[in-house]
Amino acid sequence: GAVVSQHPSRVICKSGTSVKIECRSLDFQATTMFWYRQFPKQSLMLMATSNEGSKATYEQGVEKDKFLINHASLTLSTLTVTSAHPEDSSFYICSAWSSGGLDTQYFGPGTRLTVL
Amino acid sequence: RKEVEQDPGPFNVPEGATVAFNCTYSNSASQSFFWYRQDCRKEPKLLMSVYSSGNEDGRFTAQLNRASQYISLLIRDSKLSDSATYLCVVNAYSGGGADGLTFGKGTHLIIQP
């Protein structure tokens, strides 16, 4: 199956710092990438949809100025958590979809963010 | 009302037994349905799509009842490696790809030796 990587897998940072998470599709070109967040014992919640070369579409309640998304190429999307606070601590997972025939989403391994 | 509801469990089942999970969804316009599996602290992995006619993949059988907005997953001859959280997933559009998926909280399954 298609492979999606995320980096870093785990990050611990101080409150107020910004954290960048990368999501890469390794063996296919991803027309669309999605960012999800999962709090402990909760379901994955879609944060935003990112299409290559255009602005991301954010779900209701997700602050676009806090969670900056850039999808500069067909194989890379980044999520930057700006001025992170302890309540932003969560498991962030990206997924990728291709218009070239992969009619399912392939998930990255996730990034566990802990903000102290 | 939550969009996708599942019994969180845990379901404790002896190895070799058959176990069934259910899920209900609230959006009647939903077009595509999936079961994903998520292991502890890992990303979800697609287990199978769910079709109106019902479908089977080895020991796994999935069924969809659109009238009742209900999806089921049956696991036969359960293995220790089946222990995981099973996520019911719905998409408002046909296909699983082009739009954000809506996940249930998952049902936690523990297979006991």
Side-chain angles (χ1 to χ4, degrees):
Chain A
V3 178
V4 176
S5 71
Q6 268 184 254
H7 177 80
S9 59
R10 177 185 289 270
V11 59
I12 301 172
C13 68
K14 292 182 180 178
S15 186
T17 59
S18 293
V19 175
K20 180 187 279 190
I21 303 169
E22 291 187 350
C23 176
R24 292 182 187 273
S25 56
L26 298 184
D27 53 358
F28 67 102
Q29 293 187 322
T31 316
T32 304
M33 287 185 171
F34 303 90
W35 287 96
Y36 294 83
R37 179 169 56 181
Q38 186 177 33
F39 292 106
K41 300 189 188 299
Q42 299 295 315
S43 55
L44 273 81
M45 295 296 292
L46 179 66
M47 298 176 67
T49 302
S50 164
N51 291 295
E52 185 265 339
S54 61
K55 288 185 178 180
T57 303
Y58 290 81
E59 296 299 301
Q60 192 172 12
V62 178
E63 300 174 57
K64 63 179 181 181
D65 294 330
K66 181 169 181 64
F67 299 98
L68 302 178
I69 292 172
N70 185 282
H71 191 162
S73 77
L74 285 171
T75 59
L76 173 65
S77 176
T78 61
L79 168 69
T80 301
V81 183
T82 61
S83 186
H85 290 284
E87 59 266 29
D88 298 323
S89 298
S90 187
F91 190 44
Y92 291 85
I93 309 177
C94 71
S95 70
W97 176 79
S98 170
S99 61
L102 298 174
D103 197 19
T104 189
Q105 293 182 25
Y106 291 89
F107 285 84
T111 297
R112 194 161 298 281
L113 171 64
T114 302
V115 185
L116 303 176
Chain B
R1 182 182 170 186
K2 294 176 185 172
E3 294 191 55
V4 179
E5 292 205 56
Q6 296 180 251
D7 181 344
F11 284 45
N12 288 283
V13 175
E15 191 176 7
T18 296
V19 60
F21 308 136
N22 303 320
C23 155
T24 57
Y25 59 95
S26 61
N27 184 355
S28 59
S30 299
Q31 295 289 328
S32 50
F33 311 88
F34 310 89
W35 284 101
Y36 277 72
R37 169 194 169 128
Q38 187 174 25
D39 292 290
C40 188
R41 303 172 82 83
K42 300 282 189 183
E43 78 277 20
K45 293 187 188 295
L46 180 65
L47 181 64
M48 59 196 303
S49 301
V50 187
Y51 303 114
S52 296
S53 54
N55 49 298
E56 188 174 307
D57 182 1
R59 298 182 292 110
F60 299 84
T61 301
Q63 298 213 305
L64 167 65
N65 183 321
R66 283 187 185 269
S68 302
Q69 296 181 201
Y70 168 101
I71 305 161
S72 67
L73 176 68
L74 182 79
I75 305 175
R76 289 182 299 280
D77 187 24
S78 53
K79 313 288 185 192
L80 294 176
S81 57
D82 294 333
S83 298
T85 297
Y86 290 82
L87 307 174
C88 179
V89 183
V90 170
N91 195 351
Y93 299 88
S94 66
D99 300 282
L101 302 172
T102 300
F103 286 81
K105 280 191 181 182
T107 297
H108 190 198
L109 173 64
I110 301 170
I111 303 299
Q112 297 174 328

